[in-house]
Amino acid sequence: MSADWMAAAGGHEAVLDRALGAYLGLALGDALGATVEFMTRREIVARHGVHRRIVGGGWLKLEPGQVTDDTTMSLALGDALLRGEREGRPQDTTLIADAYVAWWRGKPVDCGNTCRRGIQRYLRDGSLEGVCSDGDGGNGALMRNLPAVLATLADDEAFERVSIAQAHVTHHHPLSDAAVLGLGRVVRAQLAGADDAAAATLVDALVAAVPAFRYTPYPGRASGYVVDTVQTVLHFYRAHDDFEDAVVGAVNQGDDADTTGALVGMLAGARCGARGLPRDWVARLKPDVRRAITEQTAARWWRGRAPPFPRHRAAGGWLTGRGPGAPGGGGGGGVCRRASDLSGGPVEGSNACRSSHSRTPARVKVRPMPIYDYRCKACQAEFELLVRGATAPACPTCGATELERALSRIAPAGRIAGVVAAGRRQAAREGHFSHYSPSERAKLPK
């Protein structure tokens, strides 16, 4: 990265603050939104009023401050990009695909259908992208692209190439591509020091180029379909200058709340910087997540240097919990002296760092996502949808409602009906009824 670019962006400290704000903001939105993922707005109001505290739970039964695939896949991508630089294979898509495989084999707390299919395709035939498919129009590639942005800040061509390459490992769809590049350009501009007017201009340009992303008036849909996701993210990012207000507004729409929250958090965090993040929220993030994000972000610019970057105080403790100057750590002062001091943990690239975010905590039970693969009987299109009880699912290609549904995870022959029934009973016990029709809800035991 050139000295001229860095100077124009306000210097290393300013860029690092914005980058860390974006990355931690993504994790904060993920952790907040996971509690209400797949709930409807009415269900959220009935259970939480306004959901604004990082408390865990949700359909995944997360611990407070635990994150989902939005954050952990981002960390996997960031690890792959840093590994490529260390090994003389910069921006190698094979390393990225291998990192996604390692992430998946590490039993993440959740994994979307399209991501799973893409990873399995790569394992099966070694291809780094599938054919362009209507079924790839989800938000999985968009949610994890921040490390590609950070790795290519001063190189427009590399940004587009790496972003699309990482996306196509699992998602090959023009709307997904447009969202990845469009939101990526907004983040890049903010990291370079662009003001709100310049960021708004980029948002307007994205909507002008892809009218499907138009978010005014807000349609009110927040599903995993990339169009719904982008509309929700842009609406709440533009509607609120305050980080917390923007993220809270997005996640209280329910549906794919962890991803919409993560993406709003990324944009709003790049805007306010790490110093502007809610201290109590940062304190609630799992320490290993804070550590992995801080190390990965710092490693991007500060390896071998002494960054003049002060620790950020969080409610009840330091941002990352340990290290010189932190309570219980050695030394004094609030200024970090090397990348590892930002986290009190291992330097990026060590075995301890690579494993810190690739395993599911032992107490967490991995559960399949309540999203289903469908095949349209009319046009044979394959796609995935959130299960909604209020309306019958329809094919996004032709609008037909005669669909064949497959489970999100492979079940033994003859057990599909039982697995579906067990999943619905579990959801009912947890208070999630959005995939039951009104008539079915009336029959549920009180």
Side-chain angles (χ1 to χ4, degrees):
M1 191 171 299
S2 70
D4 290 343
W5 185 96
M6 189 61 73
H12 283 81
E13 182 177 345
V15 174
L16 182 53
D17 182 54
R18 296 180 202 121
L20 191 56
Y23 218 149
L24 286 171
L26 182 143
L28 291 172
D30 182 6
L32 183 73
T35 303
V36 294
E37 185 181 15
F38 303 128
M39 295 175 69
T40 66
R41 289 190 293 272
R42 288 186 178 182
E43 289 169 348
I44 294 171
V45 171
R47 174 165 292 195
H48 302 282
V50 176
H51 173 57
R52 59 185 320 120
R53 296 179 59 244
I54 295 178
V55 295
W59 73 278
L60 289 169
K61 296 188 180 299
L62 300 177
E63 297 178 1
Q66 190 178 355
V67 294
T68 72
D69 55 344
D70 303 85
T71 304
T72 56
M73 278 202 90
S74 297
L75 288 167
L77 172 59
D79 273 354
L81 292 169
L82 287 168
R83 178 186 171 190
E85 293 174 12
R86 292 192 304 269
E87 298 180 357
R89 299 168 61 186
Q91 302 165 2
D92 188 321
T93 309
T94 299
L95 289 179
I96 293 172
D98 287 342
Y100 293 161
V101 170
W103 168 82
W104 182 59
R105 285 176 169 168
K107 296 184 179 179
V109 70
D110 62 341
C111 178
N113 291 336
T114 310
C115 290
R116 170 182 51 79
R117 285 198 303 265
I119 292 168
Q120 291 176 332
R121 185 210 68 248
Y122 171 69
L123 286 172
R124 185 171 58 251
D125 61 23
S127 61
L128 294 174
E129 69 174 41
V131 297
C132 185
S133 168
D134 289 339
D136 288 359
N139 57 22
L142 174 62
M143 72 183 187
R144 65 182 185 235
N145 194 54
L146 178 59
V149 173
L150 299 181
T152 59
L153 274 181
D155 189 333
D156 294 346
E157 185 276 330
F159 158 68
E160 295 189 5
R161 173 170 44 79
V162 176
S163 295
I164 294 301
Q166 76 81 16
H168 283 186
V169 174
T170 58
H171 292 67
H172 192 172
H173 190 282
L175 289 174
S176 171
D177 292 352
V180 166
L181 295 178
L183 266 62
R185 291 187 181 108
V186 178
V187 177
R188 294 178 86 230
Q190 291 183 128
L191 296 179
D195 58 18
D196 288 345
T201 298
L202 289 172
V203 170
D204 293 342
L206 171 61
V207 173
V210 188
F213 293 157
R214 186 174 293 115
Y215 59 95
T216 53
Y218 175 50
R221 296 183 294 270
S223 78
Y225 178 43
V226 73
V227 171
D228 295 347
T229 297
V230 170
Q231 289 171 337
T232 295
V233 169
L234 294 182
H235 171 75
F236 287 98
Y237 164 67
R238 290 293 301 276
H240 299 283
D241 294 330
D242 178 75
F243 175 92
E244 187 170 341
D245 289 344
V247 176
V248 167
V251 303
N252 277 271
Q253 297 300 300
D255 271 354
D256 203 6
D258 60 333
T259 300
T260 57
L263 291 169
V264 172
M266 175 188 71
L267 291 170
R271 180 170 59 191
C272 71
R275 292 181 176 88
L277 299 176
R279 293 179 177 183
D280 56 334
W281 284 14
V282 175
R284 295 288 282 177
L285 269 183
K286 286 289 186 182
D288 64 328
V289 175
R290 293 199 308 260
R291 186 159 51 246
I293 288 173
T294 307
E295 289 168 357
Q296 199 175 96
T297 308
R300 175 56 55 197
W301 294 291
W302 294 111
R303 284 174 296 172
R305 303 183 57 171
F309 191 68
R311 298 175 186 279
H312 300 295
R313 288 303 298 258
W318 296 90
L319 172 64
T320 50
R322 301 186 320 191
V335 178
C336 300
R337 299 302 177 192
R338 61 185 184 275
S340 61
D341 286 344
L342 283 164
S343 65
V347 176
E348 174 63 40
S350 69
N351 291 333
C353 178
R354 281 197 295 271
S355 65
S356 65
H357 51 77
S358 63
R359 295 188 180 98
T360 301
R363 292 190 297 275
V364 176
K365 184 176 181 180
V366 178
R367 300 173 183 272
M369 295 178 70
I371 301 178
Y372 291 92
D373 291 329
Y374 289 93
R375 175 181 286 107
C376 177
K377 293 183 178 180
C379 68
Q380 302 304 309
E382 295 184 355
F383 53 93
E384 67 179 18
L385 289 175
L386 290 174
V387 181
R388 298 168 182 260
T391 57
C395 174
T397 302
C398 70
T401 57
E402 290 294 319
L403 310 175
E404 294 179 347
R405 189 177 73 183
L407 285 180
S408 298
R409 304 175 86 186
I410 299 172
R415 294 192 57 197
I416 291 178
V419 172
V420 172
R424 285 159 64 89
R425 287 194 298 271
Q426 178 65 28
R429 285 194 295 271
E430 296 174 9
H432 302 299
F433 304 106
S434 59
H435 60 311
Y436 284 86
S437 68
S439 61
E440 288 175 322
R441 294 184 201 185
K443 300 176 183 178
L444 291 174
K446 304 298 183 184

